[in-house]
Amino acid sequence: MRLDKVLADCFGHHAEGHALYAAVSAAELKPGCCGYMDKDGRWTTIAQLTKPSDLKKRSFTEFKDAKIKTNPVSEDWGEVKSSNVRGKLIKASGEVTDPNTQAVSVCASFSYSTQDGAGGIFITKNNVTEKYLEDSWLADAWMEKNGPMIANDIPPTRDRGVWIVTRTFAAPERYVAVLRENGEEASLSINADAYKVGKVETSASWWSSYNGSMWKYAEHKDGVVLFMAGTYYKPKLWSKGFNREDQPKKERFLGDGAMEPIDVEFTDAEDDGCVRYMQFVPEQVGKPRKKEDDNGGSDEEYDQY
């Protein structure tokens, strides 16, 4: 199984949503994004709903009165690991001085391993920033109107499905490791002002060494996305017309009622122009954000044109 799928499964019940293995910047993947994961697990944007020029280019309907906001309360996550991963301190040395910054810190070595099946680990530097789409239900209403056009105009979505992203969590720098089976270990040495078993605090000069085959590093001035939340529209292809009796059960979202699958009729160019039928079945990914969580989040400025 691909590492991106293993990582996503490891964090399958994480409140922050879908864990991302392939690096993507917070400038590219942000709340309001409509897109899909390609066959290699990399994010592909179809349109940014808060950018009118994107919608006009593809003849999508307008998306009005929604804003991207930033949670003013950010946290230094340090490490985030799946529930079956255990970390331990295997070595600690005395104080070391960073030759570039002259910062004095403690060097510690850690090892991570799984106890039952595959596991995943994120190590982040500095604060993790949460961004979210205000009135996110509007994005799902937009998808109901535009889903059929997306399936007709963008063939990969018939197999890959469609994401409507309403919330992201990003850090300036991150390492990620996937442990695919019992017995695999991922180790690292880190410079930190303080440390304890099962916790990495990244306030000093951060990494000094690691076993590179396990860890994948990424950085971006706008942040690297760790998790995304929202609605995943899973494709379901029908060989003949829609059988309503066999239709998937409705999923309940945000307490605002039920969302039904989106019916799609499309012309399959690879099958001599045959008319095919499918549905996009909505699945909630990540814990829905409540209005009381807003904390006075600030609006994000974006290029509307």
Side-chain angles (χ1 to χ4, degrees):
M1 184 181 291
R2 294 199 322 254
L3 293 182
D4 62 294
K5 290 186 176 182
V6 175
L7 184 73
D9 288 345
C10 289
F11 289 100
H13 299 291
H14 206 278
E16 277 70 23
H18 181 85
L20 294 167
Y21 183 77
V24 58
S25 77
E28 179 181 356
L29 175 54
K30 61 176 67 176
C33 265
C34 169
Y36 62 93
M37 293 292 185
D38 70 14
K39 61 182 180 61
D40 297 316
R42 296 187 178 278
W43 174 257
T44 300
T45 299
I46 296 172
Q48 172 61 35
L49 304 190
T50 59
K51 191 174 182 180
S53 60
D54 273 13
L55 304 181
K56 185 177 181 180
K57 185 189 306 181
R58 291 191 176 274
S59 300
F60 292 148
T61 61
E62 292 183 320
F63 185 70
K64 296 181 178 180
D65 305 322
K67 298 178 180 179
I68 300 173
K69 306 194 81 173
T70 300
N71 188 342
V73 180
S74 58
E75 299 178 340
D76 186 348
W77 286 6
E79 70 174 18
V80 181
K81 58 185 186 293
S82 55
S83 59
N84 62 333
V85 170
R86 297 293 180 266
K88 63 180 179 179
L89 175 66
I90 57 177
K91 181 181 179 182
S93 62
E95 292 184 346
V96 295
T97 302
D98 188 302
N100 298 313
T101 65
Q102 300 303 310
V104 177
S105 59
V106 173
C107 183
S109 296
F110 294 85
S111 177
Y112 294 93
S113 60
T114 60
Q115 292 188 329
D116 182 20
I121 313 141
F122 283 109
I123 304 290
T124 66
K125 183 179 182 182
N126 297 331
N127 285 357
V128 173
T129 300
E130 175 197 6
K131 292 188 177 184
Y132 60 95
L133 191 67
E134 191 176 45
D135 297 324
S136 60
W137 64 271
L138 293 171
D140 291 311
W142 179 91
M143 179 62 184
E144 287 186 40
K145 296 179 181 178
N146 295 275
M149 182 183 294
I150 290 173
N152 273 279
D153 294 350
I154 308 170
T157 62
R158 302 169 198 165
D159 298 316
R160 313 304 304 175
V162 178
W163 283 87
I164 298 293
V165 179
T166 58
R167 194 178 183 189
T168 61
F169 296 82
E173 300 177 48
R174 70 98 172 102
Y175 272 89
V176 61
V178 175
L179 305 175
R180 288 176 286 190
E181 57 187 20
N182 290 345
E184 282 195 318
E185 292 189 358
S187 61
L188 63 102
S189 294
I190 190 168
N191 293 331
D193 287 335
Y195 60 86
K196 59 183 179 181
V197 174
K199 171 68 176 177
V200 178
E201 299 181 10
T202 56
S203 56
S205 54
W206 212 30
W207 294 77
S208 59
S209 66
Y210 60 95
N211 57 344
S213 62
M214 286 287 186
W215 300 95
K216 300 300 179 184
Y217 171 77
E219 64 176 318
H220 195 279
K221 62 182 180 62
D222 294 310
V224 180
V225 180
L226 311 171
F227 292 91
M228 67 178 185
T231 307
Y232 173 58
Y233 289 86
K234 185 176 181 178
K236 180 171 184 176
L237 188 66
W238 296 73
S239 58
K240 296 182 180 180
F242 298 115
N243 183 351
R244 294 293 182 180
E245 294 182 358
D246 193 36
Q247 182 170 291
K249 294 182 179 179
K250 298 177 181 179
E251 295 285 347
R252 184 162 295 276
F253 287 75
L254 308 179
D256 291 330
M259 289 188 63
E260 296 185 1
I262 300 171
D263 296 346
V264 175
E265 178 180 317
F266 67 92
T267 301
D268 191 348
E270 296 181 357
D271 190 17
D272 297 326
C274 179
V275 175
R276 304 291 300 274
Y277 302 93
M278 65 169 289
Q279 290 181 317
F280 283 128
V281 182
E283 297 179 356
Q284 181 76 55
V285 180
K287 184 179 179 181
R289 199 174 202 285
K290 300 179 181 179
K291 287 188 176 295
E292 51 265 35
D293 296 332
D294 282 356
N295 296 319
S298 58
D299 294 348
E300 176 178 305
E301 296 182 1
Y302 55 88
D303 179 11
Q304 300 189 36
Y305 309 98

